Amino acid sequence: MSDKLVLAIPSKGRLQENTAAFLAKAGFTLQQERGARDYRGTIRELPGIDVLFLSASEIVARLDKGEAHFGVTGEDLIRESIEDADARVDIVSPLGFGYADVVVAVPKGWIDASTMDDLEEIAASFHARHGRRMRVATKYFNLTRRFFASHGVADYRIVESLGATEGAPVAGAAEFIVDITTTGSTLEANALKVLDDGVMLRSQASLIAALSASWSAGALATAELLLRRIAAERAARETRRIEIAGPADVLAALGTALADHLVGETPRGITLHAPRDSAAEIAQICLRKGAAEVSICEIDYLYPQACPLFEKLRQRLSL
């Protein structure tokens, strides 16, 4: 059994660029020794990782088969392509890019269609009038079936979308669609509207773990290093260090009042860690209470004793 941890990431395009940028923020450098056409790579700071540059569908297939420990892909592809996804993979962490929603969209001219309940009534009426079921064009067969079943909508049939799904109603290939959208502008351009309760899934690129992969001791150790750094960068991004100088009695009072944020003392005063959005307000409080000087600093990495991302993975692996 190899001790290497296998990480599958997108092979091209914006998702690859964003993945590389995300890893870089955590202090990791992706390397392709033979250039951009090399479909294997490494992370310079983590020699225990083999990187595979793959298409989105291949990443999902490798995760499903346990042939990669981690993969970076959209939750929509995971939910669509892997049966019983929650039992086979773990969504370790959303990555903050690749946002897209899987939605039910109908023609704007359907003025009586606002909800999935409305769609059910329209579908039944359509069937009675035309002697056939309404067609929904989509690439998301499984997500559509599950979502429609949960809303009690059954009088429809799926037609596979082989091109631009949003154009299917205008082309007469379908009555409405299920598709992925980022801004909604393409739907708007094709005179389509999203049903009020028609957002099936809010997806984004995520770090996904394959529970069926061979998690050797070496692979687990490398996974911990990777996840600790990712968690430490994220915690640091959301935290600010506040250094407070002033008279001893003022510092003592502030240390008591802000005990939840207090992390230590310096030769000149006390140090706090506070949420980024609260740091300026805390600084003003300290000044009003007599602090002589307050500085707010960014943090590169903030490591807690326990790494929540790794502990969650261990629990899913029953370790």
Side-chain angles (χ1 to χ4, degrees):
M1 180 187 299
S2 172
D3 268 355
K4 289 274 192 176
L5 184 142
V6 178
L7 169 64
I9 69 171
S11 59
K12 60 184 179 180
R14 184 64 60 83
L15 282 179
Q16 184 193 29
E17 294 170 5
N18 286 339
T19 300
F22 173 82
L23 290 170
K25 283 196 299 184
F28 296 126
T29 309
L30 277 175
Q31 298 182 131
Q32 292 169 275
E33 292 182 3
R34 290 176 291 181
R37 297 194 178 195
D38 190 356
Y39 287 93
R40 301 189 72 90
T42 59
I43 292 179
R44 185 171 62 200
E45 296 79 8
L46 281 178
I49 288 185
D50 280 337
V51 178
L52 302 180
F53 294 88
L54 303 171
S55 68
S57 60
E58 183 64 16
I59 291 172
V60 174
R62 295 288 183 105
L63 290 169
D64 190 24
K65 296 173 184 176
E67 295 175 353
H69 297 88
F70 288 129
V72 173
T73 191
E75 186 179 352
D76 59 307
L77 296 179
I78 292 292
R79 301 274 178 210
E80 171 64 23
S81 304
I82 300 180
E83 187 175 355
D84 197 14
D86 287 328
R88 298 192 58 75
V89 300
D90 180 60
I91 300 176
V92 177
S93 177
L95 300 182
F97 58 84
Y99 289 101
D101 296 340
V102 184
V103 301
V104 184
V106 302
K108 285 187 173 182
W110 292 14
I111 58 175
D112 294 330
S114 297
T115 68
M116 291 297 292
D117 284 344
D118 296 334
L119 187 63
E120 180 187 7
E121 294 180 10
I122 291 170
S125 176
F126 182 95
H127 197 172
R129 290 198 318 271
H130 299 281
R132 63 179 177 85
R133 294 176 175 177
M134 282 202 307
R135 299 160 298 172
V136 52
T138 188
K139 300 179 178 74
Y140 294 95
F141 291 15
N142 295 321
L143 282 172
T144 298
R145 291 188 182 109
R146 290 196 292 267
F147 186 77
F148 279 36
S150 71
H151 285 272
V153 178
D155 217 353
Y156 70 95
R157 69 183 180 91
I158 292 175
V159 293
E160 184 177 7
S161 172
L162 299 175
T165 303
E166 63 275 2
V170 173
E175 280 65 53
F176 65 105
I177 70 169
V178 167
D179 200 13
I180 198 161
T181 182
T182 52
T183 65
S185 59
T186 303
L187 297 178
E188 181 73 23
N190 285 273
L192 297 171
K193 63 180 181 180
V194 179
L195 295 180
D196 294 345
D197 55 353
V199 178
M200 296 167 51
L201 177 67
R202 297 193 184 278
S203 180
Q204 64 176 291
S206 297
L207 182 65
I208 312 291
L211 301 179
S212 62
S214 297
W215 288 94
S216 65
L220 275 172
T222 302
E224 183 174 11
L225 291 173
L226 176 69
L227 296 180
R228 276 191 176 277
R229 182 74 73 89
I230 289 173
E233 187 279 329
R234 179 172 298 168
R237 197 186 330 144
E238 299 300 325
T239 305
R240 292 293 180 267
R241 176 178 290 116
I242 304 175
E243 304 281 356
I244 307 167
D249 58 334
V250 171
L251 295 177
L254 288 173
T256 300
L258 299 170
D260 290 345
H261 301 293
L262 185 66
V263 294
E265 298 180 358
T266 68
R268 297 186 62 224
I270 60 174
T271 301
L272 311 177
H273 280 174
R276 178 184 58 187
D277 295 341
S278 304
E281 180 182 355
I282 290 174
Q284 290 301 317
I285 291 172
C286 293
L287 291 170
R288 284 198 297 268
K289 291 186 176 296
E293 181 183 85
V294 178
S295 62
I296 300 176
C297 308
E298 293 185 358
I299 304 170
D300 291 331
Y301 300 101
L302 184 58
Y303 286 91
Q305 182 64 38
C307 174
L309 297 183
F310 184 66
E311 291 307 314
K312 176 170 169 274
L313 177 62
R314 283 176 56 89
Q315 290 175 9
R316 291 300 314 275
L317 293 172
S318 300
L319 297 175

